[in-house]
Amino acid sequence: METLSRRALNRATLERQLLLRRVKMSAYDAVEHLAGLQAQAPFPPYYALWARLSGFRPPELASLLENRRVVRIALMRGTVHLVTAADALAWRPVVQPLYDRDLKTNTQHAGEVAELDHDLAAKAARELLARSPLSSTALGTELAQRWPDVAPASLTHLARAKLPLVQTPPRAIWGKAGQTTYACLDEWVGAPLSPPAPASLIARYLRAFGPASVADVQAWAGITRLGEVAASMELRRYRDPDGRELIDLPELSIPDEDIPAPPRLLGPFDQMILSYADRTRVISDEYRKRVISQNGLVKGTLLVGGQVRGFWELKSARKAAVVELAPFEKLPKRDLAALESAAGRLAGWAEPAAETREVRVHAPE
């Protein structure tokens, strides 16, 4: 069994995440290829596509949301992702055990809904949402009229767990503001959910993130027992430098580990640094603690030589846009110059109406 170096794994990840070079691809095809985009906050998916696609403009993704070809929905790991409507219909049934488990273990809501008939409450929520999308507060308030002894927030939590709820526009439409409002996925896109197919989910993960261990797949999906599924699939197998078995699709190849990895600015919550149990192929454990806060916020990052080497922040006020680069270590002059140039382009892309734009580089701490 072939052993892959960390550098080889890094280059394979960058290639499949469209980060070795900007590609000419539609936003829809990119969302599908990347197995969805992290979307805990409204706008990180736009930055994810900016980092990967040649000529990407926010209206392209906004149009897909408005036309219901892509949706924002809680999926893997219980977090909101932006995925194609087809993938949402296929994947929500696969990860449903995660949400069923949460209803029994959630410290804030499990006790509140323990005595309820969950299916009956979910049916009531579906009937309400069939009339029109509702905010979390409005949905909980409506359900509390039927179950007045249960906290409205807990009733909304139950509905989110039992039903495939999408967040509807104008939430996450570039340049617009909107509170979170929900609709049922199948009614929103006009198609039924698919039977659970975990093997298909594993294959899609590997196409976007492989080669990877079963533990990596499970960390991304948020569900267990995928090793049994992977064992039944026709997969190529490798080992990593620590001797762990890695799986991959047999038709996919590994790029030359000596291929250059250009400097990149990755957006906040970028999925490349969140989708592995062992993330050291792209970020050291030390730097991970500086990028991901204790409450789960993930900064935009500086990618140099294929590894995270710092973070960036965009600040805008009074028609001025400033991108601040904060490297964790001294970077080669050529790479730092490339990052500064990219930061200038980012400021122009994200804040086109700004009258002044500036890039500031902080000394490593």
Side-chain angles (χ1 to χ4, degrees):
M1 188 181 300
E2 182 182 355
T3 296
L4 299 177
S5 68
R6 294 200 189 283
R7 186 181 175 93
L9 287 173
N10 174 269
R11 295 306 190 262
T13 297
L14 294 177
E15 180 179 65
R16 297 187 195 185
Q17 282 292 301
L18 310 181
L19 288 168
L20 283 180
R21 64 197 67 82
R22 275 190 168 84
V23 298
K24 291 185 177 181
M25 182 183 290
S26 71
Y28 180 89
D29 288 345
V31 171
E32 182 179 56
H33 171 84
L34 295 165
L37 302 171
Q38 294 285 148
Q40 291 98 316
F43 302 120
Y46 294 88
Y47 289 91
L49 294 181
W50 175 84
R52 292 165 167 84
L53 303 185
S54 176
F56 169 72
R57 294 291 181 265
E60 184 182 359
L61 182 58
S63 177
L64 293 174
L65 279 164
E66 292 172 326
N67 295 331
R68 308 185 187 188
R69 296 189 66 204
V70 302
V71 296
R72 288 166 47 84
I73 181 173
L75 284 174
M76 289 73 73
R77 305 188 305 285
T79 60
V80 177
H81 283 71
L82 185 147
V83 297
T84 67
D87 284 342
L89 293 166
W91 295 350
R92 179 56 193 250
V94 180
V95 299
Q96 184 58 40
L98 169 68
Y99 296 91
D100 293 337
R101 183 170 65 248
D102 179 75
L103 281 176
K104 298 177 181 178
T105 59
N106 187 280
T107 56
Q108 183 178 355
H109 301 294
E112 282 281 332
V113 301
E115 302 302 321
L116 281 185
D117 182 325
H118 290 183
D119 291 335
L120 183 62
K123 180 181 178 182
R126 178 178 280 277
E127 290 172 351
L128 289 167
L129 294 169
R131 302 173 193 169
S132 68
L134 293 172
S135 68
S136 296
T137 301
L139 178 58
T141 299
E142 290 285 346
L143 291 171
Q145 293 185 27
R146 186 164 178 179
W147 290 279
D149 295 332
V150 181
S154 295
L155 291 168
T156 300
H157 184 81
L158 186 152
R160 284 199 299 258
K162 295 296 291 184
L163 299 173
L165 299 187
V166 297
Q167 297 185 6
T168 62
R171 180 75 168 172
I173 298 299
W174 187 264
K176 296 183 180 180
Q179 66 176 328
T180 302
T181 57
Y182 293 110
C184 286
L185 166 67
D186 45 333
E187 296 182 2
W188 182 252
V189 303
L193 274 75
S194 306
S200 176
L201 185 69
I202 292 173
R204 289 293 302 283
Y205 171 84
L206 293 174
R207 192 168 295 279
F209 296 101
S213 68
V214 169
D216 290 325
V217 185
Q218 293 183 158
W220 171 76
I223 55 177
T224 58
R225 298 186 176 180
L226 293 181
E228 303 168 12
V229 180
S232 68
M233 299 171 64
E234 293 187 9
L235 298 171
R236 179 176 295 176
R237 286 172 165 76
Y238 302 98
R239 293 204 181 279
D240 72 6
D242 297 320
R244 288 172 291 213
E245 183 179 80
L246 306 175
I247 55 176
D248 201 11
L249 299 179
E251 67 270 23
L252 297 184
S253 59
I254 308 298
D256 188 329
E257 67 176 49
D258 292 327
I259 190 170
R264 285 278 187 266
L265 300 182
L266 299 186
F269 293 100
D270 196 275
Q271 66 271 13
M272 192 179 73
I273 62 174
L274 295 173
S275 299
Y276 297 95
D278 178 5
R279 303 175 188 179
T280 56
R281 68 173 69 191
V282 292
I283 185 170
S284 69
D285 291 335
E286 176 189 357
Y287 289 170
R288 177 168 53 86
K289 296 174 184 177
R290 300 178 66 176
V291 167
I292 304 175
S293 69
Q294 290 185 346
N295 59 354
L297 297 179
V298 184
K299 297 177 180 178
T301 53
L302 313 180
L303 202 66
V304 176
Q307 287 278 329
V308 171
R309 308 286 188 187
F311 67 86
W312 64 267
E313 293 180 294
L314 173 62
K315 299 178 180 179
S316 57
R318 297 181 180 179
K319 297 186 178 182
V322 178
V323 179
E324 297 188 355
L325 306 181
F328 296 147
E329 59 192 64
K330 186 176 181 179
L331 300 177
K333 290 183 179 180
R334 179 180 297 180
D335 291 335
L336 186 57
L339 291 172
E340 290 184 69
S341 177
R345 294 193 300 272
L346 176 65
W349 173 85
E351 299 289 343
E355 295 178 358
T356 63
R357 304 184 188 102
E358 182 182 357
V359 177
R360 299 173 184 168
V361 180
H362 296 276
E365 295 182 0

